[in-house]
Amino acid sequence: ALNAFAGVLEERRTSNDGPRQALVLHSIGDIHFRLGNSDAARTAYHEARQLFEKIRDLSSAGRALQGTALTELVVARFAAAEKAYTESITSCTAATEQDAECIARAQVGLAFALAAQEKYDDAVTWYGRSLIWFNTLRMEEAAARARLGLADALYGRGDYEKALEEAITARRIAVALNTDDVLWRALVATARAERKLGRGAEALGSARAAVLAVERLAAVALDRPGTAAPADSASAYASLALLQAEGGDAAAAFNSTELMRAHSLRAALAASEREIARGMTADERAEEQRLATALNTLLAQRTSERGLPRPDAARLATLERALVDATAQRAAAQQKLFSRLPDLRTWRGLA
């Protein structure tokens, strides 16, 4: 993808097409970010921002700034992230058509950057402002994630009762939206606050529920080639192990720790599991690649269709049927492969 975008960028530069250059540069920044090339991502986002500002597309400039800010967050340059998010809010607010979503996302990013610097009071303020925008836009999942950030900031300044209230609200939203990724985070936040409030039994229950949500995420990820549950979801096991240890159940704490290690290993290996191929024939590798590509293509098509203003119900139904078939074919092929090469399952972190 990076090579393809480089070719497109050269074409846009040759034709002196500034607006499209900016779009391509933003995409290049996104790819470098995914690859972990922070310096290259930062440069691409900066160039995109300059071109967007040149044509007075301040909304897009604000979003490019958010790319820069996120890059800074990942490399723990929190003050730089704070600056970029602040500039993004200014840019998105000054756009000809005020970009409410851009403003909300910049505000929640700014709050996170502030909390990372232990500026908890300011972080609480900005999380609150982002919630106003997200609720106005009816972006329920984004609002739930903002509440999780708010709970964390409140916890950081020692306001455990309010932190618990926000975590519980986020949990209820997650249940209503049926999103385990928000749910496990809300349950961990709940357990942390309950622990500080001396409610050991309740905290233990919340932590166990968080682990169950993570296990569901991990099970779903098995049907998505090259993916795993979020790497930070291992913290659910860590929270449970801590509470079990504090409760005097050493055996259970040890077991939770070992499950955490196995979970983290799988998360680390999932993206490159098809490169772990000792003992496989060339035909087996080619077939595995073909099945994974077919399944990922269908998943991408479904995501794209669902994201349209008016999704085509008939097309979605066709895609769902095709996904069921493709998933079954891949599962059968994997079972056959692992039956012949049982160690391969272990090497890929699946045992």
Side-chain angles (χ1 to χ4, degrees):
L2 192 59
N3 289 335
F5 274 124
V8 175
L9 180 61
E10 185 61 32
E11 292 175 5
R12 301 309 180 204
R13 283 174 172 163
T14 300
S15 61
N16 197 29
D17 188 342
R20 292 185 179 178
Q21 282 183 60
L23 291 170
V24 174
L25 281 164
H26 196 150
S27 295
I28 289 173
D30 289 343
I31 295 171
H32 278 303
F33 174 80
R34 288 171 179 259
L35 291 170
N37 303 330
S38 56
D39 288 339
R42 193 181 294 113
T43 298
Y45 285 133
H46 179 68
E47 291 181 20
R49 172 200 176 181
Q50 288 182 317
L51 287 169
F52 282 131
E53 288 179 340
K54 188 176 181 179
I55 60 174
R56 298 298 297 168
D57 185 350
L58 297 183
S59 175
S60 295
R63 291 174 183 269
L65 277 161
Q66 289 178 31
T68 299
L70 187 57
T71 303
E72 303 293 15
L73 282 182
V74 168
V75 297
R77 293 179 47 173
F78 302 122
E82 178 187 345
K83 180 176 181 293
Y85 277 125
T86 301
E87 292 175 354
S88 175
I89 293 170
T90 300
S91 186
C92 294
T93 302
T96 304
E97 292 186 11
Q98 196 176 67
D99 191 336
E101 182 180 344
C102 178
I103 294 169
R105 294 196 182 280
Q107 288 176 335
V108 81
L110 174 58
F112 186 93
L114 290 165
Q117 299 172 78
E118 299 185 2
K119 300 177 183 178
Y120 296 120
D121 289 337
D122 290 339
V124 167
T125 297
W126 283 104
Y127 275 126
R129 291 176 182 176
S130 73
L131 278 169
I132 293 171
W133 284 100
F134 284 135
N135 289 331
T136 299
L137 293 166
R138 296 184 179 179
M139 297 175 64
E140 293 180 280
E141 183 172 336
R145 292 181 185 276
R147 286 191 184 281
L148 290 174
L150 177 55
D152 188 59
L154 290 165
Y155 179 93
R157 75 178 189 186
D159 199 341
Y160 305 124
E161 285 286 2
K162 287 185 178 179
L164 181 59
E165 289 176 14
E166 294 297 337
I168 290 173
T169 300
R171 184 191 70 197
R172 288 171 178 161
I173 296 171
V175 170
L177 296 177
N178 193 28
T179 169
D180 278 329
D181 187 51
V182 176
L183 180 59
W184 79 260
R185 297 175 193 276
L187 286 163
V188 167
T190 300
R192 290 177 70 205
E194 288 170 335
R195 173 175 174 262
K196 284 292 187 180
L197 291 167
R199 304 172 189 174
E202 292 92 333
L204 192 60
S206 296
R208 284 178 175 145
V211 167
L212 289 175
V214 168
E215 289 175 346
R216 288 195 297 270
L217 280 176
V220 170
L222 292 177
D223 289 334
R224 294 172 177 264
T227 64
D232 62 340
S233 59
S235 63
Y237 293 96
S239 296
L240 178 58
L242 173 64
L243 289 161
Q244 289 168 329
E246 288 182 341
D249 193 342
F254 178 79
N255 186 59
S256 295
T257 303
E258 289 299 287
L259 288 171
M260 179 182 70
R261 286 158 52 83
H263 181 80
S264 297
L265 178 64
R266 173 57 191 167
L269 296 177
S272 56
E273 67 175 349
R274 290 192 297 279
E275 298 304 313
I276 304 170
R278 184 184 300 175
M280 292 178 66
T281 66
D283 286 345
E284 285 173 333
R285 294 197 69 181
E287 177 68 0
E288 184 176 50
Q289 180 65 33
R290 183 188 70 78
L291 291 171
T293 300
L295 184 51
N296 276 333
T297 299
L298 289 168
L299 287 166
Q301 289 175 341
R302 182 179 66 178
T303 299
S304 177
E305 187 65 36
R306 284 176 172 176
L308 295 175
R310 294 182 180 179
D312 186 325
R315 174 168 166 73
L316 276 175
T318 299
L319 286 170
E320 292 291 354
R321 288 193 294 271
L323 275 168
V324 170
D325 292 341
T327 300
Q329 288 179 33
R330 178 171 173 269
Q334 281 192 318
Q335 181 60 43
K336 181 179 178 181
L337 178 65
F338 294 147
S339 294
R340 192 178 77 78
L341 299 170
D343 286 345
L344 190 60
R345 182 190 295 273
T346 302
W347 296 334
R348 290 184 175 185
L350 292 166

